[in-house]
């Protein structure tokens, strides 16, 4: 009973940030008003933009691997177009409009099987009060444990490793439970 909104969430956030008012016309507001905010999930698909200094952009810049600095630029249309909006600005605006959950991807980590974008996820948890689901980057059960412990994400998502049968769901659930993280039992 949830609706996931991608590109339209970006367009709605841009309008809200420009106008500063909720006018009830965004799909986020309309769905939230009828079905409740818990039914509205925004799917955030940012990509890293590396900069030399934090002052190089007005967007939130964080240090990532090897001391590099970057901000996370929102994309639309399946990642084919970028917008002058960072992932945190998007999520904060969408929360204000009535979104109840953030599905947080990272184009740079997706399909790499090298782990989640911990800096992105940790900052997102700090910036919004709605649940954040970490996505993009899981390559093994330890990656799921790492993201849940390091970021306080409300949930973590993996797809490719299961579709390709590289890892069994039971392996992930066992690793998460053994790390002391609450997890639904395998039925």
């Amino acid at each position: 009973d949830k609706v996931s909104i991608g590109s339209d969430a970006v367009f709605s956030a841009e309008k809200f940030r420009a106008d500063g008012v909720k006018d009830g016309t965004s799909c986020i507001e309309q769905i939230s008003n009828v079905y409740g905010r818990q039914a509205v999930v925004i799917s955030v698909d940012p990509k890293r933009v590396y900069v030399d200094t934090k002052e190089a952009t007005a967007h939130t810049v964080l240090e990532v691997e090897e001391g590099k600095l970057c901000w996370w630029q929102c994309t639309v249309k399946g990642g084919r177009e970028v917008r002058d909006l960072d992932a945190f600005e998007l999520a904060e605006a969408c929360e204000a409009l009535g979104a109840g959950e953030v599905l947080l991807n990272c184009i740079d980590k997706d399909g790499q099987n090298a782990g989640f974008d911990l800096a992105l996820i940790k900052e997102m948890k700090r910036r919004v009060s709605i649940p954040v689901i970490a996505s993009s980057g899981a390559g093994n059960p330890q990656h799921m444990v790492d993201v849940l412990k390091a970021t306080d994400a409300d949930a973590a998502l993996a797809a490719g490793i299961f579709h390709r049968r590289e890892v069994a769901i039971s392996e992930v659930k066992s690793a998460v439970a053994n790390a002391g993280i609450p997890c639904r039992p395998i039925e």
Side-chain angles (χ1 to χ4, degrees), residues 5-14 16-17 28 42-46 72-76 85-97 99 102-104 124 127-128 130:
I5 304 169
S7 294
D8 200 57
V10 175
F11 303 137
S12 296
E14 288 174 331
F16 175 69
R17 287 175 50 81
I28 295 169
I42 60 160
S43 181
V44 182
D45 294 316
W72 288 265
Q73 186 172 30
C74 289
T75 65
V76 296
L85 183 73
D86 74 40
F88 314 114
E89 294 166 334
L90 169 64
E92 289 169 336
C94 289
E95 181 177 25
L97 289 170
V102 175
L103 173 59
L104 185 56
M124 186 63 73
R127 299 283 284 268
V128 298
I130 56 179

Side-chain angles (χ1 to χ4, degrees), residues 46-79:
K47 61 183 268 180
R48 287 179 172 190
V49 176
Y50 292 95
V51 293
D52 292 327
T53 66
K54 290 186 176 188
E55 295 75 29
T57 179
H59 299 290
T60 299
V61 175
L62 297 175
E63 186 174 320
V64 293
E65 303 86 12
E66 302 169 7
K68 293 180 180 175
L69 299 173
C70 75
W71 67 281
W72 288 265
Q73 186 172 30
C74 289
T75 65
V76 296
K77 300 182 181 179

Side-chain angles (χ1 to χ4, degrees), residues 77-122:
K77 300 182 181 179
R80 292 185 304 276
E81 292 181 16
V82 295
R83 308 300 284 189
D84 188 23
L85 183 73
D86 74 40
F88 314 114
E89 294 166 334
L90 169 64
E92 289 169 336
C94 289
E95 181 177 25
L97 289 170
E101 204 167 284
V102 175
L103 173 59
L104 185 56
N105 306 293
C106 181
I107 289 175
D108 305 275
K109 295 288 187 173
D110 196 34
Q112 301 302 304
N113 292 12
F116 294 86
D117 193 327
L118 301 179
L120 169 65
I121 299 160
K122 189 173 189 173

